[in-house]
Amino acid sequence: MKAAGKSSVLPTCGGPWDKPLAEVGEIAPARLKALASEGIVSTADLLRHYPRRHEDRTKFPAFPSAPPEGPVCLRGIVVETKMIRFGRRCQFLLTLAEECGGATIRCRWFNLRYLPKILQAGQDLVVHGRLRAMKKGGLVIDHPDFEVLEKDAPDSGLIHLDRIVPIHPSLGPWSPRALRRLIFEVLVRLENDETPAPDELRSIHFPGSWEELEEARVSLALDELFEMQCVLARQRARQSSGAAPIILRDAELLAKFVKQLPFALTAAQKRVLGQIFDDLARGRPMNRLLHGDVGSGKTIVAATAMVGALAAGHSAALMAPTQVLAHQHYENLRRLFEPLGISVVLRTAARKEKTPATGPRVVIGTHALLFSPDTVGNPALVVIDEQHKFGVKQRAKLSAKEPHPHVLVMSATPIPRTLALTLYGDLDLSVLDEMPPGRTPIKTLVRPHDKLSEAADFLRKQLDEGRQAYLVYPVIEEGRRKELKAATTEFEKWQKLLAPHRSALLHGRLEAEEKESIMSDFRAGQIRALISTTVIEVGVDVANATVLLVENAERFGLAQLHQLRGRVGRGSEKSWCVLLAGKDAEEKLDRLQILEKASDGFSIAEADLELRGPGDLLGTEQTGLPPVRLAKLPRDLALLEEARAEAQRLMTEDPGLNTRPDLQSRLTLWEKRLFAGIA
Ligand code: ADP
Ligand code: MG
């Protein structure tokens, strides 16, 4: 490959090969329009529509007699098709035979009515999927990917067979097969015009070997990570430019505050506070992420920083993702702050009344209120708690405020450090890597659903001993998915089962006031069991709660279960986390068992990531960042670090990107999409 051995990152953006698609080849106007509506107008756009996988069609294996481990790619002749209808549903059954052998396999698709129009006996078919043994004998693939080979099409062999073939995500009317042909033709055309596309782009679509493909993937993944890191580096520079109030450490008040705490700060808490106070004294806005596992004591760090702001004569705000949490912070901080003469006010959707600004104070509210200045005022320090939903875009919006506040973001999302650099690359990072002393470890038990009654006995015993419990369900109400247990239905059951102990139902659809009163009764120990959804996932802190029971546990991510588990083990009593799998989810117990062994969020997150892939962890939804399509995390963490270092180097040496006008236009495009609507 031409680019092999290159020392720095060279995004494949721009160059003579990048031209409007309308100028390349003969694509029908309607089809061009369909591509344009997917955002594809240039050859670069098209060539960056990467395949989701490849199939080795250089030679097809013989039909296996037992199901092999991974997915297979097989070629055969369709000998029989059958459509079976039952009610509104249907099943399409196809028998595929080896061209020269006698072996056959079955393929099955459910509820795809159009299949008989496409698949018929006699066709030469390639299928891709996982084989299973059928009870009555033989092998079957459910819902395989398939492609009908057109033997007579002129260059069919060249593009669709006898090579490692790309499978692209469909785009409107463009099937993977049609896209493959189009991309192939565009590549040939560029070559003929003597403006060949970069080697990596040719190889990612039509690699000569698996090694070549991996080499291209790595190179392009580096490019996409680099672009993403450049966007973040620029955002970071933007966020920390401008002036912010200088907050000097007021040793006296801080000492007084720390002394009244019922415990001594851990070394990690002190170290992190040092970093925060250094930031606050600089006269430039702080933009810092405080990362620490569930229960590591982030709140007290934030509270100490807020006391610092108040001592310097400024207001501070603390924003929580839910009303329940905002209320809890309010109760706790009021207890800590009022002895110092610091006034604390709560602002939630339910309590929006304006109070006249009466000097410096601490305002506590939900994220949503952050952007309404009349309720929050202009705090010099904004703390954002437990914020997976508070992404780069929201942070950009916050730092567009005038005057620009110091921002401290707190997160327990258990992600490896390097990944944190990606998700929060616009922030400086502080880590609480030490747990407060005196925690009793939580015992985690993963059990099949038929152990429910045993679990219920155990739960009841704990309540009898004076403890409290959380019971968590995946949905509020029974819906179409009958296999999922619902909090509302289960609440009826538990209420009777646990009586005379009082139970309550808590979920996101209750009125704010109702939620508040349930939580305060639970905190006070009057309510003993809380039947809920994941509204309790983050932050809720009740030391007397010692049992967490989760049903349909397989429906939750491991990282999420770890968060939930953090609701117990907060006091001196031994705590339990019981994870019950749903019916028919027995095979998912393996994954859950990771939680029986691991107790720290980081190793769990890594295991989860390895098992499930990053999924949307790095997708636009969570982070508001450009989607990463070729990088595979955590496998490519080294690449991510390289991209980050390179982006930082470039942004320091050439912040105006004068040496890289090509990159300038790519980044501007991303930023427009990301920060649209932000002043
Ligand atoms: P999180 O980091 O999950 O937000 P919290 O701030 O809610 O954790 O702290 C969890 C519990 O640990 C709280 O009850 C808090 O009072 C307690 N805590 C915090 N710091 C210390 C410490 N240094 N020593 C003992 N307990 C602490
Ligand atoms: Mg917290």
Side-chain angles (χ1 to χ4, degrees), residues 125-137:
L125 196 69
V126 174
V127 292
H128 180 277
R130 275 173 203 280
L131 278 166
R132 281 194 307 113
M134 286 189 293
K135 283 204 190 86
K136 52 184 178 192

Side-chain angles (χ1 to χ4, degrees), residues 449 452-453 455-456 459 470-479 481-499 503-507 529-533 549-552 556 580-583:
H449 86 284
L452 176 61
S453 69
L459 199 107
Y470 300 100
L471 297 92
V472 179
Y473 291 88
V475 291
I476 299 179
E477 265 160 30
E478 250 175 54
R481 319 198 48 165
K482 287 273 179 284
E483 73 276 17
L484 294 187
K485 292 200 177 182
T488 316
T489 328
E490 298 305 308
F491 167 63
E492 306 286 327
K493 210 181 75 192
W494 286 111
Q495 204 176 17
K496 288 184 205 117
L497 218 62
L498 299 176
S503 308
L505 173 68
L506 183 75
H507 58 72
L530 212 51
I531 289 85
S532 85
T533 55
L549 176 88
V550 184
E551 289 206 62
N552 283 125
F556 301 88
L580 289 177
K583 264 196 196 132

Side-chain angles (χ1 to χ4, degrees), residues 228-295:
M228 182 204 226
Q229 291 298 319
C230 284
V231 169
L232 289 170
R234 290 228 291 206
Q235 183 54 23
R236 182 191 174 98
R238 219 171 279 136
Q239 276 172 189
S240 50
S241 67
I246 295 182
I247 296 173
L248 298 173
R249 218 180 172 126
D250 178 328
E252 208 181 312
L253 187 64
L254 283 173
K256 200 166 146 197
F257 175 69
V258 172
K259 222 168 96 198
Q260 65 151 17
L261 295 176
F263 45 73
L265 294 179
T266 62
Q269 284 169 324
K270 285 186 198 152
R271 187 189 65 234
V272 166
L273 275 166
Q275 294 164 343
I276 292 172
F277 278 106
D278 284 350
D279 285 358
L280 295 177
R282 262 189 210 120
R284 301 250 166 248
M286 166 172 81
N287 288 288
R288 185 168 286 280
L289 169 68
L290 171 54
H291 197 248
D293 205 350
V294 196

